Amino acid sequence: MDKFYVTTAIDYPSSKPHLGHAYEKTIADVMARWNRLKGKDVFFLTGTDEHGLKIQRAAEKEGKTPKEFVDLQVKNFKKLCEVWNISYDRFIRTTDKDHELICQQIFQKVYDKGDIYLGTYEGLYCTDCERFYLEKDLVEGKCPVHNKELDVVKEKTYYFKMSKYQNQLLNYFENNPEFIYPISKRQEIINRVKEGLLDLSVSRTSFSWGIPLPNDKNHVIYVWFDALLNYVSGVSYGSDKFGKYWPADVHNIGKDILWFHSVIWPCMLFAADIKPPKKICVHGFITTSTGAKMSKSLGNVIDPIQLVERYGCDSVRYFLLREIPFGEDGRFSEEALITRHNNELANELGNLVYRTLSLLEKKNNSLIPDSSSDLELFKKLDINSIEQHMDSYEFHLALSEIFSFISEVNKYINEKQPWKQQGHELNKTLYTLSDSIRVVAILLSPFIPNAVNSIKQQFGFEELSFDKCKPNLTKKNTKITKGNVLFEKILLQ
Ligand code: MSP
């Protein structure tokens, strides 16, 4: 059986989860559910990045120890996964014992190989980014991302010989042109690597909230070196499970952390004699409806848990994936969400399902008739193109195709007027409608799992898998049970 190993970045639990976190997890969840639908053995990893100065300072502010603080904060991230219906296989925390041991083991391995050495670092550190910056990278003397003063740091540090892997990395880019997706992000990284890779400081002494170095207890492992290793510890590095799932098929990340994933991470893996991941998928940023960055200080952050309480998980998942082409930034507005919810989910999909169930109830004793599908209608569904879009992360295009088929099926009802039909003709129409809804349900299951479950139950459909996306596979004489409408319309205020 083919495997598919998919990850998200692990979030800093220094504050509450935001919509960007939910967006990334939803993308990964759609990939996981899609690959399960295709019969693959999927492993889906998400979690939290809990060490480092940023967390230590956030904990101090609340008068808690870092561990007490993260234990509380992590609950919000798990809740986020629950209410957004994120079907992860493991929620990893970098404070998990197995992760800490694997980090130390790999650090030691790279050290023993001679790729880690002791030196002194003098430089400028941004705690929000958890990274050093060179003078030339600053904007008006401040962090280019957070527009904040940086800490001046001078301390003994262990360096990772990243410079040694520059050519190997460039060769890897060359031989794997699809390593970074979308491809537009690739060249910039290659250009920067060609400017020269510096060795990387991978330990800190000025604070203690981190994993101690195995060879020197005065240092803790640099938080990014620790965090990136979650992808191998999450599948138990060194075990059979690791042999089965590694290399990861897709790491999903936002554009701000591409350098860490496409440069530092593969170099770490080269040094540890581990294969690099197959693909880094870089999504854009969610902004406000005016295109502004969401930030706590601006007070324009949207709480993803409240959003689901207000609109339902399927609607918010659907909206984000339908509205934003993968890789591009996307504006979030409640008006746009409500419009899509009403027009596409309630009017198109919801009505189709409700009308069909009502017809089956009234005209055929709540049974799916013994008939066959009208293949003329199925010609309007291009399964191959949907599959291609799904496999190339063009989710908005896949959804657009699925919904244009749904509107064809609605037209079909209007044309056939089953309320006036009888006998064979009526049976054929009712079977065709049920069969179309079954195929639509399969295709929509990665996006709106709750609604699809409800469709499955109401129609009595059997197991949904991608190879059943063909006409005439709906079981005849199945009893249907009409339930509530799938999506209530929302009034625009
Ligand atoms: N802890 C690091 C990642 C370590 S991965 C080994 C980190 N954490 S984060 O909480 O700041 O961000 C987690 C993910 O959310 C990142 O992929 C980041 O790009 C993404 N997003 C943060 N803000 C975002 C938006 N406004 N929109 C979409 N995604 C955003 O970085």
Side-chain angles (χ1 to χ4, degrees):
M1 193 195 272
D2 269 2
K3 64 90 186 177
F4 183 76
Y5 177 25
V6 59
T7 67
T8 67
I10 47 172
D11 305 324
Y12 290 127
S14 44
S15 51
K16 279 186 171 174
H18 56 66
L19 193 54
H21 294 141
Y23 175 54
E24 182 171 294
K25 290 184 200 301
T26 306
I27 290 171
D29 188 58
V30 169
M31 292 182 184
R33 289 176 188 268
W34 167 244
N35 281 280
R36 284 188 204 116
L37 204 60
K38 290 182 89 179
K40 291 195 192 168
D41 177 352
V42 171
F43 197 86
F44 173 12
L45 184 73
T46 191
T48 38
D49 184 357
E50 303 186 2
H51 293 123
L53 192 53
K54 187 200 206 49
I55 300 284
Q56 183 171 312
R57 284 192 181 154
E60 275 160 13
K61 243 191 186 164
E62 306 248 319
K64 297 199 164 59
T65 67
K67 186 66 169 64
E68 283 166 356
F69 176 73
V70 290
D71 282 350
L72 277 178
Q73 292 290 109
V74 158
K75 292 195 175 122
N76 297 323
F77 287 82
K78 289 197 168 162
K79 172 99 189 281
L80 174 77
C81 290
E82 191 192 314
V83 304
W84 279 68
N85 223 332
I86 304 300
S87 61
Y88 63 78
D89 293 291
R90 176 169 178 186
F91 187 103
I92 191 169
R93 301 180 54 182
T94 51
T95 50
D96 288 342
K97 265 282 148 292
D98 63 328
H99 169 79
E100 295 192 344
L101 288 173
I102 286 171
C103 270
Q104 290 179 324
Q105 191 187 341
I106 293 181
F107 194 97
Q108 186 72 48
K109 186 170 177 186
V110 179
Y111 180 78
D112 291 343
K113 194 173 170 182
D115 280 351
I116 286 177
Y117 61 92
L118 188 61
T120 308
Y121 198 96
E122 198 167 352
L124 298 162
Y125 195 81
C126 170
T127 313
D128 282 340
C129 297
E130 291 283 16
R131 58 165 288 189
F132 285 107
Y133 279 102
L134 297 174
E135 289 281 356
K136 74 173 174 63
D137 300 323
L138 306 185
V139 174
E140 291 171 4
K142 293 183 178 165
C143 165
V145 177
H146 297 95
N147 190 28
K148 276 187 181 166
E149 301 286 344
L150 289 96
D151 295 340
V152 180
V153 171
K154 184 175 179 190
E155 61 189 40
K156 282 242 175 262
T157 186
Y158 284 88
Y159 280 98
F160 165 48
K161 276 189 193 166
M162 196 155 76
S163 54
K164 178 176 157 187
Y165 293 98
Q166 179 169 334
N167 288 338
Q168 193 172 342
L169 183 64
L170 287 170
N171 284 339
Y172 189 72
F173 289 153
E174 177 87 27
N175 296 330
N176 298 278
E178 293 180 357
F179 176 56
I180 299 174
Y181 178 88
I183 198 127
S184 55
K185 311 260 182 218
R186 177 173 178 262
Q187 200 52 46
E188 189 195 321
I189 293 288
I190 295 183
N191 294 345
R192 277 179 65 193
V193 173
K194 281 185 176 159
E195 281 171 21
L197 281 187
L198 299 176
D199 289 350
L200 180 75
S201 158
V202 288
S203 77
R204 303 293 307 275
T205 52
S206 55
F207 64 92
S208 57
W209 181 236
I211 303 174
L213 256 59
N215 56 320
D216 186 341
K217 300 287 180 247
N218 294 322
H219 294 242
V220 291
I221 298 180
Y222 171 45
V223 64
W224 269 100
F225 196 95
D226 156 359
L228 286 161
L229 286 169
N230 93 88
Y231 301 129
V232 295
S233 63
V235 283
S236 313
Y237 169 69
S239 70
D240 288 350
K241 185 173 178 181
F242 181 74
K244 175 162 151 199
Y245 290 112
W246 194 261
D249 293 83
V250 176
H251 288 323
N252 284 293
I253 56 159
K255 57 185 181 176
D256 54 331
I257 55 174
L258 179 57
W259 178 260
F260 295 94
H261 284 79
S262 62
V263 175
I264 297 178
W265 180 224
C267 289
M268 283 169 62
L269 291 168
F270 291 147
D273 300 315
I274 304 173
K275 281 189 191 155
K278 291 190 193 157
K279 198 179 275 295
I280 312 287
C281 275
V282 191
H283 61 76
F285 267 40
I286 309 272
T287 65
T288 66
S289 54
T290 56
K293 191 177 170 211
M294 286 185 190
S295 88
K296 262 202 309 187
S297 52
L298 293 172
N300 59 7
V301 176
I302 290 166
D303 179 338
I305 295 178
Q306 274 175 16
L307 205 61
V308 164
E309 280 161 6
R310 217 171 305 144
Y311 299 108
C313 145
D314 285 341
S315 297
V316 291
R317 288 170 61 109
Y318 174 77
F319 171 74
L320 292 175
L321 291 217
R322 175 68 190 87
E323 183 83 4
I324 310 169
F326 194 102
E328 290 178 23
D329 288 349
R331 296 180 180 202
F332 177 82
S333 87
E334 297 196 30
E335 290 73 29
L337 188 159
I338 292 172
T339 306
R340 284 202 184 274
H341 168 99
N342 284 345
N343 295 348
E344 291 151 43
L345 295 176
N347 283 355
E348 290 287 349
L349 175 65
N351 269 346
L352 171 63
V353 168
Y354 196 77
R355 284 165 95 189
T356 304
L357 288 164
S358 303
L359 284 163
L360 286 166
E361 200 175 59
K362 279 197 205 116
K363 308 265 306 187
N364 207 47
N365 273 332
S366 295
L367 288 178
I368 296 178
D370 186 348
S371 183
S372 62
S373 264
D374 184 343
L375 297 182
E376 280 307 302
L377 178 64
F378 273 88
K379 280 189 189 151
K380 295 180 176 153
L381 177 67
D382 190 345
I383 296 276
N384 290 341
S385 137
I386 294 172
E387 183 178 15
Q388 243 174 19
H389 289 317
M390 291 299 290
D391 283 334
S392 31
Y393 324 113
E394 293 162 342
F395 303 123
H396 65 301
L397 297 180
L399 283 170
S400 152
E401 291 231 17
I402 301 167
F403 273 80
S404 49
F405 180 65
I406 293 174
S407 89
E408 291 297 338
V409 186
N410 273 318
K411 269 193 225 152
Y412 185 83
I413 305 191
N414 299 342
E415 278 161 26
K416 294 286 171 189
Q417 305 193 327
W419 47 93
K420 292 186 183 163
Q421 288 180 315
Q422 285 183 349
H424 285 315
E425 259 190 3
L426 171 67
N427 284 351
K428 190 159 188 85
T429 306
L430 292 181
Y431 187 86
T432 305
L433 292 175
S434 311
D435 209 26
S436 311
I437 291 172
R438 182 185 55 81
V439 171
V440 161
I442 297 174
L443 294 170
L444 287 178
S445 62
F447 299 98
I448 49 170
N450 287 343
V452 167
N453 257 337
S454 162
I455 295 176
K456 198 175 157 205
Q457 272 167 17
Q458 296 190 61
F459 281 87
F461 291 147
E462 291 174 337
E463 188 224 345
L464 306 178
S465 62
F466 183 65
D467 61 0
K468 304 270 165 58
C469 270
K470 296 177 195 126
N472 287 320
L473 294 179
T474 301
K475 207 162 149 216
K476 293 148 191 172
N477 299 317
T478 309
K479 183 127 188 103
I480 59 111
T481 352
K482 192 169 87 173
N484 295 334
V485 293
L486 291 182
F487 298 95
E488 296 280 357
K489 279 189 106 174
I490 301 169
L491 288 178
L492 260 172
Q493 313 261 327

